[in-house]
Amino acid sequence: MISVFDLFKIGIGPSASHTVGPMNAARRFAEVLDGEGLLEKTERVGAEMFGSLAATGAGHGTPTAVLLGLSGERPEHVDPDAVPGLVRAIHERGRLALLGRREIAFDAERDLVAHARRRLPRHVNGMRFRACDANGHELACRDFYSVGGGFVLEDGVNEETATQAPPERYPFASGAELLERTRATGLPISAIVLANETAVCPPDAVRERLLSIWAVMQQCVRRGCEHEGVLPGGLAVRRRAPALRRSLEVAGDAADPLEWVTLFALAVNEENAAGGRVVTAPTNGAAGIVPAVLHFYVRFVAGADDDGVVRFLLTAAAIGALFKRNASISGAEVGCQGEVGSASAMAAGGLAEVMGGSPEQVENAAEIAMEHNLGLTCDPVGGLVQIPCIERNAIASVKAIAAARLALRGDGAHRVSLDDVIKTMRETGADMDDAYKETARGGLAVNVVEC
């Protein structure tokens, strides 16, 4: 079971696969040392990054994430404002406290190594951690993979059998199976997902957690609308959300609702680019789309309420789970179609349900949104989640709304299924040149002069 809370996770920017995932992996390695009684024997820890993690890791904050994870920090709890000071102290002192307890010498130039032209066998986002004792003898070595959306796999560990969760009430592995579940039960997609979630969490707790996630999304939009200035990283990208907000407030009722949607998406992704707190939805690079469309629902759809917010997120999670299970949500694996495309489909489906769509119309909305993101490359300029990522979220948010509206004008019958476009996205990603998959070695990343 891929839970709604696997797809919507609270973390920090700028990247789920390059920041959140490595932080989780580094902490997990430190916990391995602790669990095997090796922590107090450890005198040195080294981390190697491979493939995309090495190629664009510096711009995505991967080295910082590794230091934080080894120190025991969690993405959902670490204070983004405190991160620069925590990392600066490690570099200045040349010391790192594993899990906040075991102090060891740490030299970033020696102990953090990037292999941009090499990769580990299981996934392009590979990490290898080693711990040694005072004599240089290896105590432990583990390989981890950041597979998108903050998900981390450990080499040699079967994640499906590692946890013994109760079985889902209505399991589904494809869009067709999901629709069959809704026909057999008469339930909407959101209720199918809620029933599955209640296998591990009471309904009231699911609702409370989802509304907490919505609150973080709202806070992120507010911060993004308030913070002025230039984003970090050297591209001199100026934040646009505050000025756009002021302009729309002056326009008042004359402002186009879709301009507000653009604002909401820009605000989130500018916060993400600055390393702020965001909700991975399903990735950080695409974190602005679901919140922007959800804000559209709350602000511009008559009758919107908290129940609708919960249903929106549950429905979006069902669609995201299909992409995660049957293709990928990793830009390093299938290009940006796996991030922005998946998020656009999730948002379109969620909006279609809360606007009264049938399960077939919801599936159609998700299919339309993804179909028109097929082939989208991941070519970040300077290896930063800024150009074209920030604007791309705004465009994909508007596209999600258009997809939902178009689907709701029909009866749910359509020629191309969601399963068809998911399969096509996976195959397109496999055929895509690695230069266009979060390596910053193709497309805009090489054709735009960095100033």
Side-chain angles (χ1 to χ4, degrees):
M1 174 178 170
I2 299 174
S3 169
V4 60
F5 303 110
D6 291 328
L7 291 161
F8 298 118
K9 296 188 288 290
I10 298 171
I12 62 170
S15 170
S17 59
H18 287 58
T19 313
V20 176
M23 193 185 307
N24 286 329
R27 180 185 170 90
R28 191 182 297 184
F29 180 68
E31 290 172 338
V32 166
L33 297 178
D34 191 30
E36 296 183 359
L38 300 172
L39 193 68
E40 297 306 317
K41 300 177 183 177
T42 299
E43 292 292 341
R44 179 184 172 188
V45 169
E48 297 174 79
M49 275 67 71
F50 296 83
S52 177
L53 283 181
T56 61
H60 287 68
T62 302
T64 290
V66 169
L67 297 184
L68 293 171
L70 291 174
S71 301
E73 298 288 352
R74 300 178 185 273
E76 63 270 29
H77 295 144
V78 66
D79 178 2
D81 294 332
V83 167
L86 294 173
V87 174
R88 185 167 54 251
I90 293 172
H91 287 298
E92 290 177 351
R93 296 178 59 239
R95 308 285 293 176
L96 183 149
L98 291 171
L99 293 179
R101 304 200 317 260
R102 171 65 174 171
E103 271 218 355
I104 62 171
F106 196 90
D107 181 344
E109 291 189 7
R110 177 195 67 182
D111 298 325
L112 295 178
V113 180
H115 304 290
R117 298 291 179 175
R118 293 170 55 194
R119 59 176 291 175
L120 297 178
R122 191 169 176 182
H123 192 276
V124 67
N125 285 338
M127 294 162 279
R128 176 169 291 156
F129 294 91
R130 282 193 179 89
C132 298
D133 63 17
N135 296 317
H137 297 143
E138 185 176 286
L139 297 172
C141 180
R142 296 286 192 281
D143 290 349
F144 294 89
Y145 300 88
S146 182
V147 296
F151 288 87
V152 172
L153 303 180
E154 182 179 351
D155 210 23
V157 175
N158 186 333
E159 296 293 323
E160 293 183 358
T161 60
T163 58
Q164 299 297 320
E168 301 167 86
R169 186 172 179 184
Y170 301 117
F172 59 89
S174 67
E177 288 182 7
L178 176 58
L179 289 179
E180 188 56 39
R181 292 293 186 186
T182 65
R183 295 180 188 123
T185 62
L187 296 173
I189 289 174
S190 60
I192 294 290
V193 178
L194 179 61
N196 290 341
E197 290 294 332
T198 57
V200 294
C201 192
D204 288 348
V206 173
R207 174 186 170 85
E208 182 179 351
R209 289 182 66 185
L210 287 174
L211 290 178
S212 295
I213 285 170
W214 168 229
V216 174
M217 290 178 174
Q218 291 174 290
Q219 291 164 8
C220 186
V221 167
R222 284 195 294 270
R223 288 195 308 269
C225 287
E226 293 168 356
H227 289 169
E228 307 270 1
V230 173
L231 294 172
L235 292 180
V237 174
R238 185 167 295 280
R239 288 177 180 257
R240 287 178 287 178
L244 179 55
R245 173 184 59 83
R246 290 191 293 270
S247 174
L248 293 176
E249 287 174 345
V250 169
D253 292 340
D256 186 333
L258 295 184
E259 289 193 83
W260 282 100
V261 173
T262 296
L263 167 65
F264 302 142
L266 292 179
V268 171
N269 286 87
E270 287 173 356
E271 276 297 291
N272 178 63
R277 187 168 302 289
V278 300
V279 175
T280 299
T283 69
N284 283 35
I289 298 165
V290 168
V293 178
L294 196 43
H295 273 79
F296 170 83
Y297 161 69
V298 169
R299 185 161 184 153
F300 297 107
V301 175
D305 57 16
D306 283 350
D307 288 341
V309 169
V310 170
R311 289 168 50 222
F312 183 112
L313 292 173
L314 289 168
T315 304
I319 294 161
L322 294 176
F323 283 100
K324 177 75 175 71
R325 180 188 297 273
N326 298 316
S328 175
I329 57 172
S330 168
E333 191 171 19
V334 296
C336 197
Q337 59 175 354
E339 298 198 33
V340 160
S342 297
S344 188
M346 291 166 66
L351 182 62
E353 167 141 339
V354 297
M355 291 182 68
S358 67
E360 289 78 14
Q361 289 172 316
V362 169
E363 186 260 2
N364 188 21
E367 175 271 320
I368 292 170
M370 183 66 238
E371 183 177 349
H372 301 291
N373 279 291
L374 288 174
L376 195 61
T377 58
C378 185
D379 49 355
V381 176
L384 300 168
V385 190
Q386 297 180 17
I387 302 172
C389 318
I390 295 172
E391 287 182 356
R392 187 168 284 175
N393 274 253
I395 301 302
S397 299
V398 173
K399 189 179 293 186
I401 294 169
R405 286 171 163 172
L406 182 58
L408 291 172
R409 291 289 184 181
D411 61 4
H414 52 287
R415 179 67 181 82
V416 179
S417 72
L418 179 59
D419 290 333
D420 289 335
V421 295
I422 291 175
K423 180 175 183 288
T424 303
M425 188 265 274
R426 183 184 70 243
E427 294 172 347
T428 302
D431 291 338
M432 191 180 292
D433 191 284
D434 283 347
Y436 301 102
K437 293 193 281 190
E438 210 165 2
T439 59
R441 295 201 300 264
L444 286 174
V446 298
N447 287 319
V448 174
V449 176
E450 297 178 36
C451 301

